[in-house]
Amino acid sequence: MKISRVEAIPYAIPYRKPLRFASGEVATAEHVLVRVHTDDGIVGTADAPPRPFTYGETQTSVRSIVADSFGPAIVGTSILDREVVLARLNRTVGNPVAKAAVDMAIWDAIGQTLGTSVTELLGGWTDRMRVSHMVGFAPAAEMVAEAERMRDEYGVTTFKVKVGRRPYRLDVDACRALREALGPDVELYVDGNRGWTASESARALGEMADLGLTFAEELCPADDVLGRRWLVQQATIPMFADESVARPGEVTRELLSGAATGISIKTSRTGFTTSQRLVGLCEGLGVEVVIGNQIDSQLGSLCAAAFGAAYPLTARRAAELSNFLDMTDDLLAEPLVIEDGELRVRQGPGLGIEIDEHKLAHYRQDGDHQTTRSTERSTTMTQQLDHPELAEQDATAAASGANATAVFRSKTANAGSTISKERVDEVATAAIRALHEVIREKQVTYEEYDHLKSWLIQVGMDGEWPLFLDVWLEHVVEEVANSDRQGSKGTIEGPYYVPSSPELPSVATLPMRDDEPGTDLVFQGQVTSVDGTALGGAVVDIWHADDYGYYSQFAPGLPEWLFRGRVVTDAEGRFAISTKQPAPYQIPTDGSCGRLIDAAGWHAWRPAHIHLKVSAAGHETVTSQLYFEGGEYVETDIADAVKPELMLAPTPRADGQGNEVTYDFVLDPQRA
């Protein structure tokens, strides 16, 4: 049962939208997966979520301290010698998140070794936790819509409201809107993340006195020593400390000095061993606690739930366990489920963690790692919407869908053309009248209307209007726009096009990795004009997903130009492109579009296809997607973009090296 090795694996998963607080903003979960190996072959696992603007830790610092300092210090120690391990970790000051992850991974290893769940080892009070969800730093209507969605979809009835904006009445008004919309039975409490002064906090609490707030958390900075004590004396509700109580000594200081009357315990900050001390300390002093959340992943939330369920004191209040819903993906092989407002603790030895190794390989950030992939195709798609104007870190953050909107705006900002008022009136009036007819025909109720209204608001919050329009409307616009063409039929461009890919000769191999998975494919053909003239020098701009349904520049960890290139035809207009057959993929389902798909009972899959933009001087460009005969989802494409004339029928190559297929393009002369 001795520790043989400690791993620290950095990974990054974008959020659906940037998460904003008084202390900062987080757009991507840049975490570190910590694994503690034992000489018995057991592997304990935990997650470290650095928060630079709170504790000063970064992904780089956590990885370094765990791999280079903590690991060597504890290798050879028994996993049962937790106090020895803690003493060695505490030789280094600070680094709470890194220490917590190592500690929790050891507890996971202990549970697996003994065949007992961590919750049972800690105390075993219950098998589930009520869930609190965080809203805030958005217009009041958006916050209300999100809270209503969480209540309706997940049964959540406790909400933490992030406050700390100036003027403070922005947050007062938001809290009032939440109370009026959600009613008296929903629990509300506020968290300022040190954003207000003591006097601002007192005024805000006074104006919210009739809202029935349960408590307030960390409204002003810990350094405001006298102000915090004065605020507690003014307040009529409990005042909880959070960022100011990262160690037991700080808990004692805040409570005994009168600067706080409650404590937020975060396992991502104090692990299990130190969090045990905090529970005992608070029980002895008669102090209430809440299980907090450090914008944890599903893995981090699982750890928090396992600890919270172990004791009566920590299980008393709803725990902050839902922030993982804001991530575009996660590493757990079996996702957490919030149902009827509760999250059940995983049963079985340890923490019940099973990591999806393919996802870990996909999202990990250490460059020296040789990516390996399982044989199972990932069923998720990261919305990383990149374009040349963005820095790399911004492109990663764009996966939320917000950058999809930004990309579209940047593309159209200088379009130059305007649409006449007469045309706007004609189309808008027809569209509105068509909706009126749907309401009358389907006898839409007010309840259904309110659900629609809430969903439409959420689409905007998620930045998913480009996705919605691309999936369900654009194919009809394309059909109308190109109805008079004599040449090759086209279809939608989709959201994953990137201009200026590498220029390649007429016989070329698309950029790919060594040992790239998938079936070899030679895609060949000829580009001609409608009169049969060969178009030498035409450009076949091609892009497609990999064997797991991921697009380069739209999912972290892939080579920049994977399966992208601009192939220039030879003098006879011919081309031959060596590549791999792509896989079907899901459109993103973690946002509003996914909720529509789920509510309607649809599937979210697009059939495997190759994207092309074929152009030549003096001719109209054809934008196309080519599909594979007999392919999965061809008949039920969620985007309804498949056409009979866009089908490919690959045949085995004579040399036995995969398949080949021929498809010719005919371009119309450029319109006058």
Side-chain angles (χ1 to χ4, degrees):
M1 293 191 294
K2 291 185 177 181
I3 298 170
S4 60
R5 183 161 62 99
V6 179
E7 279 187 286
I9 305 171
Y11 71 93
I13 299 177
Y15 289 108
R16 290 191 296 110
K17 59 183 178 182
L19 305 181
R20 298 183 175 89
F21 327 97
S23 56
E25 176 180 306
V26 180
T28 302
E30 297 178 331
H31 293 190
V32 178
L33 184 74
V34 174
R35 284 172 161 169
V36 173
H37 298 253
T38 74
D39 55 6
D40 300 320
I42 298 295
V43 181
T45 306
D47 197 31
R51 294 294 169 259
F53 46 76
T54 304
Y55 309 113
E57 292 174 284
T58 66
Q59 184 184 69
T60 300
S61 74
V62 169
R63 190 217 61 80
S64 177
I65 196 71
V66 171
D68 302 334
S69 180
F70 293 165
I74 64 176
V75 165
T77 306
S78 170
I79 55 176
L80 296 179
D81 295 338
R82 298 185 304 280
E83 292 298 325
V84 174
V85 170
L86 189 61
R88 292 181 182 177
L89 298 183
N90 283 337
R91 292 172 184 168
T92 303
V93 298
N95 299 285
V97 169
K99 293 175 181 176
V102 172
D103 178 72
M104 291 188 291
I106 290 175
W107 275 91
D108 183 32
I110 293 171
Q112 292 182 59
T113 301
L114 300 179
T116 305
S117 75
V118 169
T119 296
E120 291 173 316
L121 289 174
L122 291 168
W125 174 252
T126 183
D127 66 349
R128 70 198 66 191
M129 291 290 290
R130 289 190 300 121
V131 174
S132 170
H133 181 69
M134 179 184 75
V135 296
F137 273 57
E142 294 182 7
M143 293 165 64
V144 168
E146 182 175 356
E148 290 177 331
R149 177 178 63 83
M150 290 299 298
R151 179 193 60 191
D152 297 342
E153 293 187 22
Y154 299 99
V156 173
T157 57
T158 301
F159 295 93
K160 167 188 269 195
V161 186
K162 287 291 186 180
V163 298
R165 291 181 290 184
R166 291 189 172 96
Y168 70 86
R169 285 194 175 88
L170 286 172
D171 292 323
V172 171
D173 292 343
C175 289
R176 190 166 299 281
L178 285 164
R179 175 59 74 202
E180 291 174 354
L182 301 174
D185 296 331
V186 165
E187 183 178 346
L188 300 177
Y189 60 99
V190 295
D191 176 11
N193 290 117
R194 315 179 308 280
W196 286 334
T197 64
S199 59
E200 286 174 322
S201 302
R203 287 196 295 271
L205 291 178
E207 294 181 26
M208 294 188 289
D210 62 328
L211 299 184
L213 299 179
T214 307
F215 62 90
E217 180 182 303
E218 210 77 280
L219 296 182
C220 49
D223 291 342
D224 191 358
V225 178
L226 295 180
R228 285 167 67 95
R229 294 178 190 173
W230 173 83
L231 181 60
V232 169
Q233 294 168 358
Q234 308 302 310
T236 59
I237 58 175
M239 303 296 291
F240 277 55
D242 179 10
E243 299 97 315
S244 58
V245 289
R247 296 179 292 117
E250 293 171 339
V251 172
T252 305
R253 178 199 67 202
E254 290 298 293
L255 293 175
L256 296 188
S257 70
T261 55
I263 298 297
S264 173
I265 296 177
K266 294 180 176 177
T267 54
S268 57
R269 178 175 64 204
T270 47
F272 293 153
T273 303
T274 301
S275 293
Q276 278 184 309
R277 288 176 165 80
L278 300 185
V279 170
L281 178 60
C282 291
E283 280 184 328
L285 293 173
V287 172
E288 292 185 278
V289 304
V290 64
I291 295 297
N293 192 294
Q294 198 153 296
I295 328 178
D296 290 319
S297 63
Q298 291 192 34
L299 177 53
S301 298
L302 187 155
C303 291
F307 182 85
Y311 308 100
L313 181 63
T314 51
R316 190 172 299 156
R317 290 189 179 278
E320 297 161 8
L321 301 172
S322 64
N323 282 339
F324 67 83
L325 295 173
D326 287 317
M327 294 176 65
T328 58
D329 203 354
D330 212 284
L331 299 184
L332 285 189
E334 181 184 349
L336 297 183
V337 176
I338 299 173
E339 190 172 22
D340 296 328
E342 295 179 333
L343 180 65
R344 286 181 176 268
V345 176
R346 289 278 165 88
Q347 303 301 306
L351 289 166
I353 294 169
E354 181 184 354
I355 297 297
D356 185 321
E357 295 297 332
H358 166 67
K359 289 185 178 181
L360 177 59
H362 184 71
Y363 291 118
R364 64 187 297 165
Q365 300 294 293
D366 41 349
D368 59 343
H369 173 69
Q370 177 62 44
T371 300
T372 60
R373 297 182 180 270
S374 67
T375 57
E376 295 184 359
R377 182 186 304 137
S378 170
T379 58
T380 57
M381 186 67 191
T382 302
Q383 294 174 258
Q384 186 175 337
L385 299 168
D386 191 15
H387 61 114
E389 294 80 11
L390 294 176
E392 183 176 352
Q393 63 268 28
D394 293 324
T396 302
S400 64
N403 263 3
T405 304
V407 170
F408 178 76
R409 285 176 174 167
S410 68
K411 184 171 71 173
T412 58
N414 299 313
S417 62
T418 59
I419 300 173
S420 69
K421 292 181 178 179
E422 292 77 14
R423 181 60 174 169
V424 172
D425 172 61
E426 178 185 15
V427 175
T429 299
I432 292 170
R433 286 176 178 170
L435 287 173
H436 292 170
E437 288 307 310
V438 171
I439 293 170
R440 293 188 182 101
E441 179 186 346
K442 301 303 179 183
Q443 293 291 287
V444 175
T445 66
Y446 252 110
E447 181 182 9
E448 292 166 337
Y449 172 74
D450 288 341
H451 275 286
L452 172 63
K453 193 173 181 180
S454 175
W455 180 79
L456 291 172
I457 293 171
Q458 191 66 37
V459 173
M461 291 172 62
D462 292 345
E464 288 201 353
W465 279 118
L467 177 64
F468 176 85
L469 295 169
D470 285 351
V471 171
W472 286 294
L473 294 184
E474 186 186 358
H475 68 280
V476 182
V477 177
E478 185 277 332
E479 181 181 305
V480 171
N482 298 308
S483 59
D484 60 345
R485 286 199 176 185
Q486 296 179 308
S488 296
K489 296 294 183 183
T491 188
I492 60 177
E493 177 180 290
Y496 303 126
Y497 175 64
V498 178
S500 304
S501 60
E503 184 174 304
L504 302 171
S506 60
V507 178
T509 298
L510 292 184
M512 64 182 80
R513 296 158 291 195
D514 294 337
D515 301 321
E516 185 73 44
T519 301
D520 289 331
L521 176 69
V522 174
F523 174 67
Q524 57 197 0
Q526 184 181 28
V527 182
T528 63
S529 185
V530 291
D531 63 3
T533 303
L535 295 177
V539 176
V540 180
D541 196 340
I542 181 172
W543 70 101
H544 63 77
D546 67 6
D547 193 48
Y548 298 99
Y550 292 102
Y551 284 79
S552 61
Q553 302 193 38
F554 293 81
L558 298 183
E560 182 179 14
W561 297 110
L562 179 71
F563 296 131
R564 294 180 183 274
R566 291 180 298 122
V567 176
V568 180
T569 63
D570 64 15
E572 296 181 351
R574 299 188 182 279
F575 62 90
I577 304 169
S578 295
T579 184
K580 300 281 186 178
Q581 285 190 204
Y585 68 86
Q586 277 185 316
I587 67 167
T589 58
D590 50 0
S592 301
C593 291
R595 286 189 287 277
L596 172 63
I597 290 168
D598 182 64
W602 304 334
H603 72 70
W605 286 90
R606 296 225 59 215
H609 55 273
I610 296 174
H611 297 264
L612 300 120
K613 291 173 76 75
V614 183
S615 59
H619 290 77
E620 296 288 337
T621 297
V622 168
T623 299
S624 188
Q625 294 181 13
L626 301 181
Y627 305 87
F628 296 86
E629 283 188 4
E632 200 172 8
Y633 309 111
V634 165
E635 301 295 330
T636 58
D637 177 19
I638 184 63
D640 198 24
V642 178
K643 300 176 182 178
E645 54 268 37
L646 301 179
M647 302 303 296
L648 298 175
T651 57
R653 294 181 61 190
D655 60 7
Q657 300 298 311
N659 298 325
E660 62 183 4
V661 67
T662 300
Y663 190 93
D664 298 329
F665 293 92
V666 179
L667 304 188
D668 286 71
Q670 200 162 39
R671 298 170 185 173

